[in-house]
Amino acid sequence: PIGSFMSQAINGSTALLTGTQLAVGGRAEPGGFPPIATTVLLVWLIGTMVLLARMAYGMSRNARILTRGQEVLSGPMSCLAGRLAVKVGLKTVPRLVFSDDAVVPFVWGWKRASVVLPAEAEGWGSGRMETTLLHEFNHILRGDQRFLILATISTALHWLNPLAWLAIRYFKHEAERACTLEAGCAERIK
């Protein structure tokens, strides 16, 4: 009975997927996946590769900004960074780098985090510099740079899902909000 059912199914033009060939009406036709599935897979793969390439470009640009910048090794800025690192609870004082290429302060580095500041930050008052360093040191303490890399990879893999984009947007917003609150400038949050 099973054999006659199978032959009726094949003879009745019912599609039977076996291995990498699609059998239709008793004839084996090469092709593997149906064309729509192949198209969707290719679109997903291209989108994922574009987003991962964009992430890699951004990472290389940040590394380039860090290496081209001028590191703060001593002086009042170094003392302030040391005092604030202890206040926040960091085990080591992060590297401070001033860069002409940086537009806003940011944290960069996987193993040893560095704080990159715009070159114009050298002229900032002590209050603004302290608030900025506290904010960036809190990013380091929380490990936000590592989570952001993982979240970006996850978004690249799930880019077709709108919830992935909402999740990474929410993560970035909440990371900034938490570090701003910790730095003691809650009045700036809108």
Side-chain angles (χ1 to χ4, degrees):
I2 292 175
S4 77
F5 173 76
M6 291 300 284
S7 76
Q8 286 176 357
I10 290 173
N11 291 335
S13 296
T14 303
L16 177 66
L17 189 62
T18 60
T20 59
Q21 293 183 336
L22 183 65
V24 179
R27 297 185 324 271
E29 296 181 10
F33 294 108
I36 189 72
T38 303
T39 303
V40 169
L41 180 63
L42 283 174
V43 168
W44 171 81
L45 187 61
I46 289 169
T48 300
M49 298 311 279
V50 165
L51 291 171
L52 290 175
R54 187 177 108 182
M55 183 185 86
Y57 172 75
M59 292 173 75
S60 67
R61 186 172 188 282
N62 286 348
R64 205 169 38 251
I65 288 172
L66 183 66
T67 57
R68 288 183 186 170
Q70 178 184 357
E71 185 173 358
V72 176
L73 298 172
S74 62
M77 185 69 65
S78 180
C79 292
L80 177 64
R83 187 171 49 82
L84 294 176
V86 169
K87 181 179 178 181
V88 169
L90 293 174
K91 295 178 183 175
T92 60
V93 178
R95 248 173 64 177
L96 293 181
V97 175
F98 287 105
S99 174
D100 292 327
D101 298 327
V103 179
V104 295
F106 66 92
V107 174
W108 181 247
W110 185 268
K111 288 186 178 182
R112 181 173 182 223
S114 301
V115 175
V116 180
L117 300 163
E120 67 190 33
E122 289 184 272
W124 290 352
S126 62
R128 182 175 180 187
M129 183 57 73
E130 185 173 331
T131 302
T132 300
L133 290 178
L134 280 172
H135 178 92
E136 299 305 327
F137 287 178
N138 279 306
H139 278 302
I140 294 169
L141 186 65
R142 290 168 36 94
D144 287 340
Q145 70 276 11
R146 293 179 182 144
F147 285 116
L148 183 59
I149 291 170
L150 294 174
T152 304
I153 291 170
S154 178
T155 302
L157 293 173
H158 300 281
W159 70 270
L160 288 169
N161 186 347
L163 294 177
W165 294 100
L166 288 173
I168 195 167
R169 182 176 178 206
Y170 182 75
F171 167 76
K172 289 177 181 179
H173 175 75
E174 288 303 311
E176 289 301 320
R177 186 175 158 284
C179 291
T180 301
L181 287 173
E182 288 294 322
C185 47
E187 66 276 359
R188 291 187 182 176
I189 297 178
K190 295 180 181 178

